[in-house]
Amino acid sequence: MAQNIPELYGSLVFNDKIMRSKLPKDMYKALRKTIENGTHLELDVANSVAVAMKEWAIENGATHYTHWFQPMTNFTAEKHDSFISPTGDGQIIMDFSGKELVKGEPDASSFPSGGLRATFEARGYTAWDPTSPAFIKDRTLYIPTAFCSYSGEALDKKTPLLRSMDTLNKQAVRILHILGNKEVRHVSTTVGPEQEYFLVDRDLYKKRKDLIFCGRTLIGAPAPKGQEMEDHYFGTLKPRVAAYMHDLDEELWKLGIPAKTKHNEVAPAQHELAPVFDTTNVAVDHNQLTMEIMKKVAAKHNMVCLLHEKPFEGINGSGKHNNWSMCTNTGVNLLDPGKTPAENTQFLVFLVAVIKAVDDYADLLRISVADAGNDHRLGANEAPPAIVSIFLGDELTEVLKAIENDQYFSSHDAVQMDIGAKVLPHFLKDNTDRNRTSPFAFTGNKFEFRMLGSSASVANPNIILNTAVAEALRQFSDQLENVPEENMEAAVHKLLKETIIAHKRIIFNGNGYTDEWVKEAEKRGLYNLVSTPDALPYYISEKNEKLLTEHKIFTKAELYSRYEVKLENYVKTLHIEACTMAEIIQKELLPSVTAYMEQIAQTASLKKSVVPDISVSSEAGLLKKLTSLEDAMTADLETLKTDTAKAEGCEDLLEKAKLYQKEVLADMEKLRKSADAAELLIPESILPYPTYGALLFSV
Ligand code: ADP
Ligand code: MG
C-alpha cells in the first residue's frame, strides 16, 4: 500500500507546525524565543505548552508521559506517568502541568554516578530540553530532558553536550564579529551520524550466550567465506533485509528522524543507515532513538540487530561516522570554503581552528570514543588506528602550505592568487579522492570523525569536539580582538601561518593502516593510546581538566566521575565477557568435545569388534587431536578463572582495568584459539551453538 510519506513524516512529533497550530500566538512566540536564543521559559508559557502537548498526545493515543534522559550509559532512561488525575468523585481528568513538563524527579540512585553521589542521596532532577522536540512512542509522550543530581551535578550526556554547544556558539560568534561578520547572532554545530549494524537470525542468536550477554561472539571459527570476495558492500539487498530497512525507515520517519541512506556494508550481514544531518543535540537524541528502533524493528522480523563494535572476529566491525560542521543562524556552513576571498578567510580561520583543536586535544578525542568494544576495532585494519590525525586532501594541504610559506597558491583551475597579507586564496570545494583510513577527514564542507564505535552515544565525541574548537577560537579571538581594522588581514594571515606551523604535525594524508604511519606518528609526537586503560588516565590530566572546567563543561567532580564511570564500565564489560566465556567453554563446548570423543571411541571399538584387525587410525588421530585441545582448553580455562579472580580482587580501579586488559583479555584470546580449533572438528549436530557460517549467512 502506498503511503503518503510527507504526511507520515514527523506524525508522532510535537513539531513546529503542531506548536503553531495548538499554542496561543504570544505563547508560541515566547517558546520560539526560548528554543532559538536559549532564554528562560516563564511558567505561564510552560503551562500553555503542557496543555497543548497533552491535547496533541491524547489525540494521538497517548495515555502517559515520560521525561526521557541519557544517563552515563550508552542507553536512554524513562519513567512513565499517566496523565490521569482523580477529581475526588471517582472520576478522572487527563492532566499535565507546566511544572510536570519542565521538571521531573526520578530516583537517581541506580544510575552510574562515578562516586558523585552516595546512593542514599537518591534524588535526581530531569529538566526539559525545549530545543529537542517531544514525540510519541508506544502511546507515551516522550519529553527529551537533561538529568542532574540533587546538588546540580550533571549525571547525563545531554547536559555537557548542551554546555559544549553553548561555549562553541559563544566563541564562534565572537570571532565572526571580530572578522567583521556582524550579522551572525548564533552558531550551532551540526551532526550527521552514519550508523553501522549487523542483522542475524533471532533463532540462531538465542543459541549464542556470548551474543546474548556480551553482544559479540567470544569464540567461533571463521566461516569458509568471509568478506574477501568484496561482494557485499553496496550489494543487492536480500528481501528480508530490504523489508526490515523499509519498516525501519517508516518508524524513524514517523518520529521525524530523517533516515536517508541505506546500504549493505563490507562484512556479510553488515549494513548502514545514515540520516540527514541536524543540530547536534537533536542528532544525538535521534541517534539514540535510531539504535533503539533498529533493535525493535529487527525483533518484528525475527532478527536481532547487533550494534557491538566487533561482533565477529576476522571480518569488519561496526563504527559510526560523526559528520560534523558549524552553521550560523544566517544559514552559512562555516566549513564550506565558499566562493569569495572574504568567505575564504572565514573558512580558513575555522578550518585552522579545527586543526589546532584536534592536535591540542587528540587525547580527549581518543578518550571520547574509548570503550571495551571499540578497542577491538580501532587499529584492526578496518577502522582508523588509535592515533588521531587529520586528512585534508591535496588541495587544502597545498593551500595551507602556501600560507605557511608566503607563496602563491594555484588552484586546480590554474587561477593564480596572491596569498600574501592582502588577499587570501580562492579555491574550489575540495574534491580530491576519499581517504577511508583517516580518523578525522575533511570531506568538502564538513569533517568526518570516524573513530566512533557503533554502540556508543555520539554525545561524548561531540562534547569534546565542540569544546576543543571553542577553545581554539577563544585563543584566536584573544589574539585578534584589539587589532585595528586596517591591520586585520595581516594579523589573520599571521595567525593562520603560526597555527599551521604549530599544528601541521596532525595532518596526514597517507594510509593510516600501515606500520610506517605508527612509527611516523611517534616521531611527530602524536598520541597512540591503544587501549581504553591506556587512554583514560589522560582524561583527568591537568591540560584536559583545565579545558573542560574553564569552558564549564564539567566541574572537577563531574570530570572525575566520568573518568570513573568509564573505567568501571570497562572493567564490568570484561568481567561479563570472561564469565560468559568460561561458562560457554565449561558447560557447552567441553561437554560437546567429550560427547564427540565418546562417539569416536565407540565407533572405533565397534569397528574392532566386527573386524578385529581393522585400522582405527583416523579415529585414533581425531581422538588425539581432540584430547590435546580439550587439555589446552581445560588449562586455559583455569588460567582465565584465576586471572579474572585476581583482577576482581584489585582495589585500584585503573590497575584493575589494566589487569583485565593485559591478562584477562589475553587469556580469552588464548582460550579462543583451542576452542575455535575444536569447533572445526566437531560435527554441527553436536556443536552446542551456531557457527559463524550459519550466523553470517542466515538472513
Ligand atoms: P559519505 O560520507 O558516505 O559520502 P555523505 O556525504 O552523504 O556520506 O554524508 C554523510 C553524512 O554527513 C550524512 O548524514 C549527511 O547528512 C551529513 N552531513 C552533510 N553535511 C553536513 C554538515 N554540514 N554537518 C553535519 N553533517 C553533514
Ligand atoms: Mg562517511
Side-chain angles (χ1 to χ4, degrees):
M1 193 188 69
Q3 282 257 26
N4 184 341
I5 303 303
E7 217 165 87
L8 181 85
Y9 188 83
S11 55
L12 296 177
V13 182
F14 189 71
N15 56 25
D16 192 65
K17 191 171 139 214
I18 311 273
M19 278 188 239
R20 199 170 350 184
S21 71
K22 289 250 175 223
L23 286 170
K25 228 185 193 142
D26 53 331
M27 295 296 164
Y28 171 74
K29 271 196 183 150
L31 179 61
R32 285 269 21 130
K33 227 172 102 186
T34 299
I35 292 173
E36 276 153 32
N37 308 336
T39 46
H40 180 72
L41 190 82
E42 299 300 332
L43 190 61
D44 60 330
V45 182
N47 278 328
S48 178
V49 177
V51 170
M53 259 190 201
K54 179 200 68 181
E55 271 179 14
W56 169 80
I58 291 170
E59 279 164 26
N60 284 284
T63 54
H64 288 67
Y65 71 92
T66 180
H67 276 202
W68 182 64
F69 56 102
Q70 297 166 20
M72 292 187 268
T73 61
N74 281 332
F75 304 102
T76 57
E78 51 196 71
K79 183 186 99 186
H80 297 206
D81 280 300
S82 70
F83 289 121
I84 69 159
S85 170
T87 46
D89 53 357
Q91 316 264 318
I92 55 123
I93 52 163
M94 297 297 261
D95 197 24
F96 184 48
S97 70
K99 242 171 80 184
E100 286 167 312
L101 164 65
V102 172
K103 192 170 133 189
E105 290 188 22
D107 189 319
S109 59
S110 295
F111 294 106
S113 81
L116 257 189
R117 190 217 52 237
T119 33
F120 58 84
E121 301 168 300
R123 203 194 291 270
Y125 290 122
T126 48
W128 180 34
D129 168 16
T131 60
S132 182
F135 55 92
I136 296 171
K137 190 165 68 72
D138 306 325
R139 302 186 65 192
T140 298
L141 170 68
Y142 280 72
I143 301 158
T145 57
F147 178 47
C148 65
S149 74
Y150 181 62
S151 40
E153 282 122 349
L155 292 175
D156 71 342
K157 302 199 165 165
K158 189 188 267 283
T159 307
L161 182 71
L162 293 173
R163 290 172 183 165
S164 75
M165 290 167 72
D166 267 356
T167 190
L168 185 119
N169 167 43
K170 208 168 110 196
Q171 298 302 337
V173 170
R174 189 174 156 221
I175 188 99
L176 284 170
H177 287 189
I178 292 173
L179 293 174
N181 188 347
K182 300 238 157 71
E183 302 101 84
V184 173
R185 280 179 294 107
H186 191 93
V187 171
S188 45
T189 52
T190 50
V191 163
E194 300 163 62
Q195 176 77 47
E196 292 180 337
Y197 61 98
F198 279 86
L199 287 176
V200 297
D201 184 87
R202 193 164 206 88
D203 296 330
L204 297 178
Y205 168 91
K206 282 186 192 151
K207 294 181 186 149
R208 298 270 332 196
K209 281 196 183 126
D210 46 5
L211 286 180
I212 292 171
F213 295 131
C214 312
R216 74 175 180 108
T217 56
L218 300 171
I219 47 178
K225 180 177 186 234
Q227 63 190 41
E228 64 278 60
M229 297 302 283
E230 299 171 326
D231 53 355
H232 195 254
Y233 191 55
F234 287 2
T236 317
L237 302 177
K238 290 183 188 157
R240 200 168 160 197
V241 173
Y244 165 80
M245 287 179 167
H246 205 82
D247 251 13
L248 176 61
D249 279 341
E250 290 198 353
E251 290 306 316
L252 295 174
W253 289 338
K254 282 187 211 164
L255 291 167
I257 299 172
K260 176 87 174 159
T261 311
K262 53 187 183 185
H263 58 81
N264 284 349
E265 260 300 332
V266 171
Q270 192 187 28
H271 314 280
E272 181 182 297
L273 177 133
V276 176
F277 68 96
D278 216 323
T279 315
T280 301
N281 65 321
V282 175
V284 169
D285 287 359
H286 281 172
N287 182 250
Q288 290 295 142
L289 270 175
T290 300
M291 292 193 283
E292 184 190 320
I293 307 280
M294 278 176 154
K295 291 185 174 164
K296 219 182 242 172
V297 174
K300 269 203 273 179
H301 292 253
N302 201 40
M303 295 190 288
V304 175
C305 172
L306 303 176
L307 290 176
H308 194 280
E309 284 72 16
K310 191 77 181 177
F312 303 100
E313 206 50 39
I315 55 171
N316 281 10
S318 297
K320 187 139 61 183
H321 289 177
N322 189 78
N323 294 273
W324 178 92
S325 191
M326 294 162 279
C327 187
T328 68
N329 65 306
T330 52
V332 175
N333 175 357
L334 291 167
L335 290 177
D336 192 326
K339 290 205 173 70
T340 66
E343 282 173 327
N344 272 189
T345 310
Q346 199 172 285
F347 164 73
L348 286 170
V349 168
F350 279 90
L351 176 77
V352 166
V354 176
I355 293 170
K356 174 176 164 55
V358 173
D359 189 28
D360 283 340
Y361 298 103
D363 50 349
L364 273 181
L365 284 167
R366 167 69 185 95
I367 288 158
S368 77
V369 299
D371 64 24
N374 215 14
D375 279 3
H376 295 289
R377 202 180 68 93
L378 294 177
N381 264 333
E382 54 173 70
I387 307 161
V388 177
S389 67
I390 298 182
F391 170 81
L392 280 185
D394 296 338
E395 188 170 19
L396 270 189
T397 306
E398 287 306 313
V399 170
L400 297 193
K401 220 179 257 168
I403 296 173
E404 182 189 339
N405 301 320
D406 294 317
Q407 284 167 348
Y408 288 95
F409 167 73
S410 65
S411 94
H412 287 176
D413 51 353
V415 180
Q416 293 262 318
M417 283 281 172
D418 175 3
I419 64 102
K422 285 235 144 50
V423 186
L424 286 155
H426 170 205
F427 47 85
L428 298 171
K429 181 171 154 175
D430 178 38
N431 52 10
T432 51
D433 203 8
R434 300 268 169 138
N435 180 328
R436 286 272 157 215
T437 68
S438 177
F440 203 96
F442 186 72
T443 49
N445 59 359
K446 61 186 189 291
F447 274 102
E448 188 170 339
F449 185 27
R450 301 193 180 124
M451 290 171 89
L452 289 73
S454 47
S455 69
S457 157
V458 286
N460 282 340
N462 285 297
I463 292 168
I464 300 304
L465 194 50
N466 293 344
T467 310
V469 174
E471 171 59 19
L473 293 171
R474 185 191 68 75
Q475 292 182 25
F476 287 2
S477 288
D478 284 354
Q479 199 171 324
L480 297 175
E481 199 158 45
N482 297 317
V483 173
E485 211 181 308
E486 63 272 24
N487 299 339
M488 189 53 89
E489 274 190 13
V492 171
H493 179 79
K494 181 167 168 276
L495 173 88
L496 291 175
K497 183 175 166 174
E498 283 168 2
T499 313
I500 293 164
I501 291 170
H503 297 288
K504 64 180 178 187
R505 64 172 186 165
I506 197 79
I507 297 166
F508 176 63
N509 292 328
N511 183 353
Y513 292 178
T514 62
D515 292 335
E516 289 81 67
W517 169 233
V518 176
K519 279 184 216 126
E520 165 70 16
E522 196 184 340
K523 258 194 250 157
R524 295 190 189 185
L526 301 180
Y527 295 100
N528 184 6
L529 305 171
V530 175
S531 76
T532 298
D534 293 331
L536 280 177
Y538 291 85
Y539 207 3
I540 49 174
S541 73
E542 207 181 316
K543 165 184 78 100
N544 294 335
E545 184 187 319
K546 190 162 178 293
L547 173 81
L548 293 165
T549 54
E550 281 185 358
H551 285 266
K552 302 205 164 23
I553 307 304
F554 297 126
T555 61
K556 188 173 172 177
E558 285 170 343
L559 176 63
Y560 276 70
S561 79
R562 306 241 157 191
Y563 164 73
E564 251 184 54
V565 167
K566 275 213 171 225
L567 273 178
E568 265 170 13
N569 183 281
Y570 181 86
V571 162
K572 285 177 189 167
T573 304
L574 265 87
H575 183 239
I576 293 169
E577 289 187 351
C579 294
T580 305
M581 184 162 198
E583 187 166 315
I584 296 176
I585 300 289
Q586 183 102 57
K587 296 193 184 169
E588 296 186 6
L589 192 55
L590 280 173
S592 82
V593 172
T594 321
Y596 186 39
M597 289 199 294
E598 217 174 287
Q599 276 189 14
I600 299 165
Q602 258 171 26
T603 307
S605 66
L606 267 174
K607 271 166 100 175
K608 281 254 179 231
S609 70
V610 180
V611 188
D613 61 347
I614 201 170
S615 157
V616 289
S617 64
S618 25
E619 284 82 3
L622 205 47
L623 276 177
K624 268 192 205 155
K625 274 190 206 161
L626 284 167
T627 303
S628 91
L629 289 169
E630 184 191 27
D631 290 347
M633 272 193 274
T634 307
D636 294 346
L637 180 60
E638 283 320 303
T639 314
L640 173 65
K641 285 182 186 167
T642 312
D643 287 343
T644 307
K646 188 170 107 190
E648 273 307 283
C650 180
E651 296 278 329
D652 183 273
L653 199 51
L654 180 61
E655 281 312 308
K656 191 169 175 173
K658 284 184 176 162
L659 280 177
Y660 268 108
Q661 192 256 327
K662 288 210 177 74
E663 298 187 9
V664 176
L665 209 51
D667 293 345
M668 287 169 65
E669 271 160 29
K670 182 146 182 272
L671 179 51
R672 178 178 187 143
K673 285 211 174 83
S674 28
D676 290 355
E679 182 192 307
L680 288 172
L681 300 177
I682 300 171
E684 297 220 355
S685 57
I686 303 181
L687 203 62
Y689 48 79
T691 59
Y692 268 28
L695 285 167
L696 290 168
F697 294 90
S698 64
V699 172

